[in-house]
Amino acid sequence: MAAPPPGPETVVNDDPMSWDVAWRKNITPWLKEKPQPALREIVESGAVEMPRGKDKWALVPGCGSGNDVAYLAAALGITSVGVEISPKGLEVAQEKWAHSDLKPEVRALMQFHLADFFKMVGEYDLVYDYTFFVAIPPKRRAEWGRQMTALTRKNGLLLALVYPLQERDKGWGPPWFVRPEHYKEVLRAEDWELVFDEMPRTSEGDHVGRERMMVWRRK
């Protein structure tokens, strides 16, 4: 059974810093020990050519404890940046990987920063969104689309693991109601080309049948 969401008494969508409250109370059902199989599948299958090398940059907004940051750095040799709005979340990520058994050259490619995604500037060759889109208030999704466009280099990739897929709007969140078309509504066709859109062959736990990997290329 899936872990319950943090709940309205902890995460208040109009107050981003309430995520820090959840971290400090250890109400973190989103924490996993490794990246989702769907991310490994799209990176390792060769279905989409990925940017590689330390001169390329990846961004993971809402990175949590940083599993995806570490995976992208190791698998692609890419400079990988994890962003958290919660000071406690950032502390957890930094502590975890500072004392990990990762090779030094992989750790050197990893960065963690305290930042508000919506106020960031910069350009990235790859952005990975897993449960960040569904964690923000739906009223900010159009802003999410504009910011993704601003942060992704031309010919760069946006990987979105769409989860949890739902048949209907349950009326509360996070995670908020999400379907693949919700991403398409806020990523303008003149800016983005959808180059991959499939259910993963391998999923685990409550992800089975409830996720979809979508990859866009920035025009």
Side-chain angles (χ1 to χ4, degrees):
M1 180 179 294
E9 73 283 357
T10 302
V11 175
V12 181
N13 273 282
D14 288 333
D15 178 12
M17 289 312 300
S18 63
W19 288 98
D20 195 56
V21 175
W23 277 100
R24 293 184 184 281
K25 289 184 175 182
N26 202 30
I27 306 174
T28 54
W30 57 83
L31 283 187
K32 305 295 180 184
E33 291 303 314
K34 56 186 177 180
Q36 289 298 322
L39 174 60
R40 299 195 300 269
E41 182 178 303
I42 190 63
V43 169
E44 296 166 19
S45 69
V48 178
E49 184 177 356
M50 298 287 161
R52 295 177 182 272
K54 62 183 179 180
D55 61 326
K56 303 293 185 180
W57 289 75
L59 172 66
V60 182
C63 68
S65 61
N67 294 320
D68 303 320
V69 177
Y71 173 75
L72 293 171
L76 298 175
I78 191 171
T79 301
S80 300
V81 179
V83 168
E84 260 297 332
I85 201 165
S86 160
K88 181 61 177 180
L90 178 70
E91 178 186 317
V92 169
Q94 290 174 325
E95 181 75 10
K96 176 177 181 175
W97 299 106
H99 298 93
S100 75
D101 58 359
L102 282 178
K103 294 179 180 179
E105 57 266 31
V106 174
R107 281 203 303 270
L109 294 172
M110 298 167 58
Q111 299 181 19
F112 293 100
H113 298 292
L114 187 68
D116 182 339
F117 167 81
F118 293 101
K119 297 178 181 178
M120 291 180 62
V121 295
E123 289 188 318
Y124 294 86
D125 302 279
L126 184 154
V127 184
Y128 177 52
D129 185 304
Y130 165 55
T131 69
F132 181 70
F133 183 88
V134 300
I136 62 174
K139 66 184 180 181
R140 301 198 76 178
R141 287 178 175 177
E143 186 181 357
W144 173 96
R146 292 191 294 270
Q147 182 67 337
M148 283 295 183
T149 301
L151 290 173
T152 308
R153 297 183 193 276
K154 290 191 175 181
N155 295 313
L157 298 177
L158 167 58
L159 280 58
L161 182 54
V162 184
Y163 169 85
L165 294 174
Q166 301 170 41
E167 293 300 323
R168 60 184 178 82
D169 189 350
K170 60 188 182 299
W172 54 268
W176 292 95
F177 174 55
V178 68
R179 302 292 296 166
E181 53 266 30
H182 295 162
Y183 294 76
K184 296 176 183 178
E185 289 168 0
V186 297
L187 294 172
R188 301 190 309 172
E190 57 265 41
D191 295 322
W192 296 93
E193 175 190 8
L194 183 62
V195 296
F196 186 90
D197 181 9
E198 292 184 11
M199 299 285 284
R201 293 189 296 272
T202 305
S203 298
E204 63 182 20
D206 67 348
H207 282 244
V208 176
R210 301 182 66 211
E211 65 181 0
R212 192 169 191 90
M213 178 60 77
M214 305 179 76
V215 181
W216 282 266
R217 189 181 306 279
R218 177 80 161 83
K219 293 182 178 178

PDB file of all heavy atoms in Angstrom, residues 157-181:
ATOM      1  N   LEU A 157      16.989  18.234 -23.068  1.00  0.00           N
ATOM      2  CA  LEU A 157      15.910  17.286 -22.802  1.00  0.00           C
ATOM      3  C   LEU A 157      15.221  17.571 -21.476  1.00  0.00           C
ATOM      4  O   LEU A 157      15.862  17.956 -20.498  1.00  0.00           O
ATOM      5  CB  LEU A 157      16.454  15.856 -22.755  1.00  0.00           C
ATOM      6  CG  LEU A 157      17.103  15.300 -24.028  1.00  0.00           C
ATOM      7  CD1 LEU A 157      17.634  13.898 -23.753  1.00  0.00           C
ATOM      8  CD2 LEU A 157      16.108  15.285 -25.191  1.00  0.00           C
ATOM      9  N   LEU A 158      13.920  17.356 -21.468  1.00  0.00           N
ATOM     10  CA  LEU A 158      13.134  17.336 -20.246  1.00  0.00           C
ATOM     11  C   LEU A 158      12.570  15.928 -20.099  1.00  0.00           C
ATOM     12  O   LEU A 158      11.796  15.466 -20.941  1.00  0.00           O
ATOM     13  CB  LEU A 158      11.994  18.352 -20.318  1.00  0.00           C
ATOM     14  CG  LEU A 158      10.905  18.231 -19.236  1.00  0.00           C
ATOM     15  CD1 LEU A 158      11.495  18.360 -17.842  1.00  0.00           C
ATOM     16  CD2 LEU A 158       9.810  19.277 -19.468  1.00  0.00           C
ATOM     17  N   LEU A 159      13.000  15.240 -19.047  1.00  0.00           N
ATOM     18  CA  LEU A 159      12.487  13.909 -18.731  1.00  0.00           C
ATOM     19  C   LEU A 159      11.457  14.068 -17.624  1.00  0.00           C
ATOM     20  O   LEU A 159      11.770  14.597 -16.550  1.00  0.00           O
ATOM     21  CB  LEU A 159      13.598  12.984 -18.238  1.00  0.00           C
ATOM     22  CG  LEU A 159      14.525  12.310 -19.257  1.00  0.00           C
ATOM     23  CD1 LEU A 159      15.239  13.325 -20.129  1.00  0.00           C
ATOM     24  CD2 LEU A 159      15.530  11.429 -18.533  1.00  0.00           C
ATOM     25  N   ALA A 160      10.231  13.620 -17.894  1.00  0.00           N
ATOM     26  CA  ALA A 160       9.176  13.702 -16.891  1.00  0.00           C
ATOM     27  C   ALA A 160       8.631  12.311 -16.629  1.00  0.00           C
ATOM     28  O   ALA A 160       8.068  11.680 -17.523  1.00  0.00           O
ATOM     29  CB  ALA A 160       8.056  14.631 -17.357  1.00  0.00           C
ATOM     30  N   LEU A 161       8.825  11.825 -15.417  1.00  0.00           N
ATOM     31  CA  LEU A 161       8.212  10.574 -15.014  1.00  0.00           C
ATOM     32  C   LEU A 161       6.857  10.925 -14.406  1.00  0.00           C
ATOM     33  O   LEU A 161       6.777  11.432 -13.291  1.00  0.00           O
ATOM     34  CB  LEU A 161       9.087   9.823 -14.014  1.00  0.00           C
ATOM     35  CG  LEU A 161       8.548   8.461 -13.547  1.00  0.00           C
ATOM     36  CD1 LEU A 161       8.226   7.553 -14.735  1.00  0.00           C
ATOM     37  CD2 LEU A 161       9.536   7.785 -12.611  1.00  0.00           C
ATOM     38  N   VAL A 162       5.805  10.690 -15.178  1.00  0.00           N
ATOM     39  CA  VAL A 162       4.458  11.100 -14.795  1.00  0.00           C
ATOM     40  C   VAL A 162       3.891  10.070 -13.818  1.00  0.00           C
ATOM     41  O   VAL A 162       3.589   8.935 -14.195  1.00  0.00           O
ATOM     42  CB  VAL A 162       3.555  11.218 -16.037  1.00  0.00           C
ATOM     43  CG1 VAL A 162       2.183  11.750 -15.642  1.00  0.00           C
ATOM     44  CG2 VAL A 162       4.203  12.119 -17.088  1.00  0.00           C
ATOM     45  N   TYR A 163       3.758  10.484 -12.569  1.00  0.00           N
ATOM     46  CA  TYR A 163       3.288   9.589 -11.513  1.00  0.00           C
ATOM     47  C   TYR A 163       2.753  10.428 -10.357  1.00  0.00           C
ATOM     48  O   TYR A 163       3.330  11.471 -10.060  1.00  0.00           O
ATOM     49  CB  TYR A 163       4.448   8.708 -11.008  1.00  0.00           C
ATOM     50  CG  TYR A 163       4.125   7.954  -9.747  1.00  0.00           C
ATOM     51  CD1 TYR A 163       3.461   6.728  -9.798  1.00  0.00           C
ATOM     52  CD2 TYR A 163       4.457   8.477  -8.490  1.00  0.00           C
ATOM     53  CE1 TYR A 163       3.141   6.060  -8.629  1.00  0.00           C
ATOM     54  CE2 TYR A 163       4.132   7.803  -7.326  1.00  0.00           C
ATOM     55  CZ  TYR A 163       3.479   6.598  -7.395  1.00  0.00           C
ATOM     56  OH  TYR A 163       3.149   5.931  -6.251  1.00  0.00           O
ATOM     57  N   PRO A 164       1.658  10.023  -9.728  1.00  0.00           N
ATOM     58  CA  PRO A 164       0.829   8.838  -9.985  1.00  0.00           C
ATOM     59  C   PRO A 164      -0.309   9.154 -10.951  1.00  0.00           C
ATOM     60  O   PRO A 164      -1.096  10.078 -10.718  1.00  0.00           O
ATOM     61  CB  PRO A 164       0.279   8.508  -8.596  1.00  0.00           C
ATOM     62  CG  PRO A 164       0.179   9.853  -7.915  1.00  0.00           C
ATOM     63  CD  PRO A 164       1.292  10.703  -8.473  1.00  0.00           C
ATOM     64  N   LEU A 165      -0.392   8.381 -12.025  1.00  0.00           N
ATOM     65  CA  LEU A 165      -1.491   8.531 -12.969  1.00  0.00           C
ATOM     66  C   LEU A 165      -2.801   8.216 -12.251  1.00  0.00           C
ATOM     67  O   LEU A 165      -2.895   7.241 -11.510  1.00  0.00           O
ATOM     68  CB  LEU A 165      -1.312   7.595 -14.157  1.00  0.00           C
ATOM     69  CG  LEU A 165      -0.119   7.892 -15.066  1.00  0.00           C
ATOM     70  CD1 LEU A 165       0.025   6.790 -16.115  1.00  0.00           C
ATOM     71  CD2 LEU A 165      -0.268   9.239 -15.737  1.00  0.00           C
ATOM     72  N   GLN A 166      -3.811   9.049 -12.492  1.00  0.00           N
ATOM     73  CA  GLN A 166      -5.102   8.873 -11.828  1.00  0.00           C
ATOM     74  C   GLN A 166      -6.227   8.995 -12.849  1.00  0.00           C
ATOM     75  O   GLN A 166      -6.105   9.700 -13.843  1.00  0.00           O
ATOM     76  CB  GLN A 166      -5.276   9.926 -10.739  1.00  0.00           C
ATOM     77  CG  GLN A 166      -4.196   9.878  -9.665  1.00  0.00           C
ATOM     78  CD  GLN A 166      -4.252  11.058  -8.735  1.00  0.00           C
ATOM     79  OE1 GLN A 166      -5.323  11.484  -8.331  1.00  0.00           O
ATOM     80  NE2 GLN A 166      -3.095  11.603  -8.398  1.00  0.00           N
ATOM     81  N   GLU A 167      -7.303   8.292 -12.587  1.00  0.00           N
ATOM     82  CA  GLU A 167      -8.457   8.325 -13.478  1.00  0.00           C
ATOM     83  C   GLU A 167      -9.279   9.590 -13.288  1.00  0.00           C
ATOM     84  O   GLU A 167      -9.906  10.077 -14.220  1.00  0.00           O
ATOM     85  CB  GLU A 167      -9.339   7.089 -13.246  1.00  0.00           C
ATOM     86  CG  GLU A 167      -8.680   5.774 -13.655  1.00  0.00           C
ATOM     87  CD  GLU A 167      -8.311   5.740 -15.126  1.00  0.00           C
ATOM     88  OE1 GLU A 167      -9.077   6.285 -15.952  1.00  0.00           O
ATOM     89  OE2 GLU A 167      -7.237   5.194 -15.438  1.00  0.00           O
ATOM     90  N   ARG A 168      -9.277  10.127 -12.088  1.00  0.00           N
ATOM     91  CA  ARG A 168     -10.099  11.304 -11.820  1.00  0.00           C
ATOM     92  C   ARG A 168      -9.422  12.157 -10.749  1.00  0.00           C
ATOM     93  O   ARG A 168      -8.535  11.700 -10.032  1.00  0.00           O
ATOM     94  CB  ARG A 168     -11.495  10.891 -11.364  1.00  0.00           C
ATOM     95  CG  ARG A 168     -11.509  10.059 -10.100  1.00  0.00           C
ATOM     96  CD  ARG A 168     -12.915   9.591  -9.738  1.00  0.00           C
ATOM     97  NE  ARG A 168     -12.909   8.757  -8.545  1.00  0.00           N
ATOM     98  CZ  ARG A 168     -12.885   9.212  -7.303  1.00  0.00           C
ATOM     99  NH1 ARG A 168     -12.871  10.521  -7.082  1.00  0.00           N
ATOM    100  NH2 ARG A 168     -12.882   8.386  -6.266  1.00  0.00           N
ATOM    101  N   ASP A 169      -9.874  13.383 -10.675  1.00  0.00           N
ATOM    102  CA  ASP A 169      -9.350  14.328  -9.698  1.00  0.00           C
ATOM    103  C   ASP A 169      -9.939  14.001  -8.328  1.00  0.00           C
ATOM    104  O   ASP A 169     -11.157  14.031  -8.136  1.00  0.00           O
ATOM    105  CB  ASP A 169      -9.726  15.749 -10.119  1.00  0.00           C
ATOM    106  CG  ASP A 169      -9.034  16.803  -9.274  1.00  0.00           C
ATOM    107  OD1 ASP A 169      -8.419  16.437  -8.254  1.00  0.00           O
ATOM    108  OD2 ASP A 169      -9.128  17.993  -9.636  1.00  0.00           O
ATOM    109  N   LYS A 170      -9.073  13.666  -7.369  1.00  0.00           N
ATOM    110  CA  LYS A 170      -9.538  13.331  -6.031  1.00  0.00           C
ATOM    111  C   LYS A 170      -9.808  14.582  -5.194  1.00  0.00           C
ATOM    112  O   LYS A 170     -10.318  14.490  -4.077  1.00  0.00           O
ATOM    113  CB  LYS A 170      -8.518  12.428  -5.330  1.00  0.00           C
ATOM    114  CG  LYS A 170      -7.152  13.055  -5.169  1.00  0.00           C
ATOM    115  CD  LYS A 170      -6.159  12.028  -4.653  1.00  0.00           C
ATOM    116  CE  LYS A 170      -4.782  12.631  -4.433  1.00  0.00           C
ATOM    117  NZ  LYS A 170      -4.171  13.181  -5.635  1.00  0.00           N
ATOM    118  N   GLY A 171      -9.425  15.754  -5.737  1.00  0.00           N
ATOM    119  CA  GLY A 171      -9.777  17.011  -5.089  1.00  0.00           C
ATOM    120  C   GLY A 171      -8.813  17.505  -4.039  1.00  0.00           C
ATOM    121  O   GLY A 171      -9.085  18.512  -3.385  1.00  0.00           O
ATOM    122  N   TRP A 172      -7.681  16.834  -3.867  1.00  0.00           N
ATOM    123  CA  TRP A 172      -6.707  17.288  -2.885  1.00  0.00           C
ATOM    124  C   TRP A 172      -5.313  16.860  -3.326  1.00  0.00           C
ATOM    125  O   TRP A 172      -5.137  16.082  -4.243  1.00  0.00           O
ATOM    126  CB  TRP A 172      -7.016  16.758  -1.483  1.00  0.00           C
ATOM    127  CG  TRP A 172      -7.179  15.261  -1.406  1.00  0.00           C
ATOM    128  CD1 TRP A 172      -8.341  14.568  -1.518  1.00  0.00           C
ATOM    129  CD2 TRP A 172      -6.148  14.285  -1.245  1.00  0.00           C
ATOM    130  NE1 TRP A 172      -8.112  13.223  -1.420  1.00  0.00           N
ATOM    131  CE2 TRP A 172      -6.767  13.013  -1.255  1.00  0.00           C
ATOM    132  CE3 TRP A 172      -4.769  14.342  -1.091  1.00  0.00           C
ATOM    133  CZ2 TRP A 172      -6.059  11.823  -1.113  1.00  0.00           C
ATOM    134  CZ3 TRP A 172      -4.058  13.150  -0.953  1.00  0.00           C
ATOM    135  CH2 TRP A 172      -4.703  11.914  -0.956  1.00  0.00           C
ATOM    136  N   GLY A 173      -4.331  17.339  -2.646  1.00  0.00           N
ATOM    137  CA  GLY A 173      -2.949  17.004  -2.928  1.00  0.00           C
ATOM    138  C   GLY A 173      -2.046  17.677  -1.911  1.00  0.00           C
ATOM    139  O   GLY A 173      -2.543  18.382  -1.032  1.00  0.00           O
ATOM    140  N   PRO A 174      -0.744  17.525  -2.027  1.00  0.00           N
ATOM    141  CA  PRO A 174      -0.037  16.729  -3.030  1.00  0.00           C
ATOM    142  C   PRO A 174      -0.041  15.239  -2.693  1.00  0.00           C
ATOM    143  O   PRO A 174      -0.227  14.905  -1.523  1.00  0.00           O
ATOM    144  CB  PRO A 174       1.386  17.293  -2.962  1.00  0.00           C
ATOM    145  CG  PRO A 174       1.547  17.752  -1.546  1.00  0.00           C
ATOM    146  CD  PRO A 174       0.180  18.262  -1.140  1.00  0.00           C
ATOM    147  N   PRO A 175       0.184  14.356  -3.680  1.00  0.00           N
ATOM    148  CA  PRO A 175       0.303  14.713  -5.091  1.00  0.00           C
ATOM    149  C   PRO A 175      -1.047  15.102  -5.673  1.00  0.00           C
ATOM    150  O   PRO A 175      -2.072  14.516  -5.342  1.00  0.00           O
ATOM    151  CB  PRO A 175       0.832  13.426  -5.732  1.00  0.00           C
ATOM    152  CG  PRO A 175       0.294  12.335  -4.863  1.00  0.00           C
ATOM    153  CD  PRO A 175       0.313  12.897  -3.463  1.00  0.00           C
ATOM    154  N   TRP A 176      -0.998  16.086  -6.560  1.00  0.00           N
ATOM    155  CA  TRP A 176      -2.203  16.562  -7.218  1.00  0.00           C
ATOM    156  C   TRP A 176      -2.532  15.684  -8.420  1.00  0.00           C
ATOM    157  O   TRP A 176      -1.665  15.000  -8.970  1.00  0.00           O
ATOM    158  CB  TRP A 176      -2.042  18.018  -7.647  1.00  0.00           C
ATOM    159  CG  TRP A 176      -1.979  18.947  -6.479  1.00  0.00           C
ATOM    160  CD1 TRP A 176      -0.856  19.430  -5.865  1.00  0.00           C
ATOM    161  CD2 TRP A 176      -3.090  19.477  -5.761  1.00  0.00           C
ATOM    162  NE1 TRP A 176      -1.194  20.235  -4.815  1.00  0.00           N
ATOM    163  CE2 TRP A 176      -2.559  20.288  -4.722  1.00  0.00           C
ATOM    164  CE3 TRP A 176      -4.474  19.364  -5.899  1.00  0.00           C
ATOM    165  CZ2 TRP A 176      -3.371  20.979  -3.832  1.00  0.00           C
ATOM    166  CZ3 TRP A 176      -5.295  20.050  -5.007  1.00  0.00           C
ATOM    167  CH2 TRP A 176      -4.740  20.841  -3.984  1.00  0.00           C
ATOM    168  N   PHE A 177      -3.791  15.731  -8.815  1.00  0.00           N
ATOM    169  CA  PHE A 177      -4.282  14.987  -9.973  1.00  0.00           C
ATOM    170  C   PHE A 177      -3.402  15.258 -11.187  1.00  0.00           C
ATOM    171  O   PHE A 177      -3.117  16.402 -11.510  1.00  0.00           O
ATOM    172  CB  PHE A 177      -5.731  15.402 -10.258  1.00  0.00           C
ATOM    173  CG  PHE A 177      -6.322  14.816 -11.503  1.00  0.00           C
ATOM    174  CD1 PHE A 177      -6.338  13.441 -11.706  1.00  0.00           C
ATOM    175  CD2 PHE A 177      -6.885  15.637 -12.467  1.00  0.00           C
ATOM    176  CE1 PHE A 177      -6.903  12.897 -12.849  1.00  0.00           C
ATOM    177  CE2 PHE A 177      -7.464  15.106 -13.603  1.00  0.00           C
ATOM    178  CZ  PHE A 177      -7.468  13.727 -13.794  1.00  0.00           C
ATOM    179  N   VAL A 178      -2.986  14.181 -11.842  1.00  0.00           N
ATOM    180  CA  VAL A 178      -2.119  14.360 -13.003  1.00  0.00           C
ATOM    181  C   VAL A 178      -2.419  13.308 -14.060  1.00  0.00           C
ATOM    182  O   VAL A 178      -2.660  12.146 -13.762  1.00  0.00           O
ATOM    183  CB  VAL A 178      -0.621  14.306 -12.599  1.00  0.00           C
ATOM    184  CG1 VAL A 178      -0.209  12.913 -12.140  1.00  0.00           C
ATOM    185  CG2 VAL A 178       0.270  14.760 -13.752  1.00  0.00           C
ATOM    186  N   ARG A 179      -2.416  13.772 -15.297  1.00  0.00           N
ATOM    187  CA  ARG A 179      -2.510  12.928 -16.476  1.00  0.00           C
ATOM    188  C   ARG A 179      -1.466  13.440 -17.470  1.00  0.00           C
ATOM    189  O   ARG A 179      -1.030  14.598 -17.383  1.00  0.00           O
ATOM    190  CB  ARG A 179      -3.907  12.999 -17.111  1.00  0.00           C
ATOM    191  CG  ARG A 179      -5.044  12.600 -16.193  1.00  0.00           C
ATOM    192  CD  ARG A 179      -5.008  11.129 -15.852  1.00  0.00           C
ATOM    193  NE  ARG A 179      -5.218  10.296 -17.026  1.00  0.00           N
ATOM    194  CZ  ARG A 179      -4.986   8.992 -17.078  1.00  0.00           C
ATOM    195  NH1 ARG A 179      -4.512   8.367 -16.013  1.00  0.00           N
ATOM    196  NH2 ARG A 179      -5.206   8.312 -18.169  1.00  0.00           N
ATOM    197  N   PRO A 180      -1.023  12.619 -18.432  1.00  0.00           N
ATOM    198  CA  PRO A 180      -0.007  13.085 -19.385  1.00  0.00           C
ATOM    199  C   PRO A 180      -0.388  14.379 -20.102  1.00  0.00           C
ATOM    200  O   PRO A 180       0.477  15.223 -20.366  1.00  0.00           O
ATOM    201  CB  PRO A 180       0.096  11.908 -20.365  1.00  0.00           C
ATOM    202  CG  PRO A 180      -0.234  10.708 -19.530  1.00  0.00           C
ATOM    203  CD  PRO A 180      -1.326  11.180 -18.605  1.00  0.00           C
ATOM    204  N   GLU A 181      -1.668  14.543 -20.395  1.00  0.00           N
ATOM    205  CA  GLU A 181      -2.071  15.749 -21.127  1.00  0.00           C
ATOM    206  C   GLU A 181      -1.847  17.020 -20.325  1.00  0.00           C
ATOM    207  O   GLU A 181      -1.751  18.113 -20.901  1.00  0.00           O
ATOM    208  CB  GLU A 181      -3.534  15.655 -21.559  1.00  0.00           C
ATOM    209  CG  GLU A 181      -4.519  15.342 -20.462  1.00  0.00           C
ATOM    210  CD  GLU A 181      -4.819  13.853 -20.329  1.00  0.00           C
ATOM    211  OE1 GLU A 181      -3.938  13.029 -20.642  1.00  0.00           O
ATOM    212  OE2 GLU A 181      -5.949  13.532 -19.892  1.00  0.00           O
TER     213      GLU A 181
END
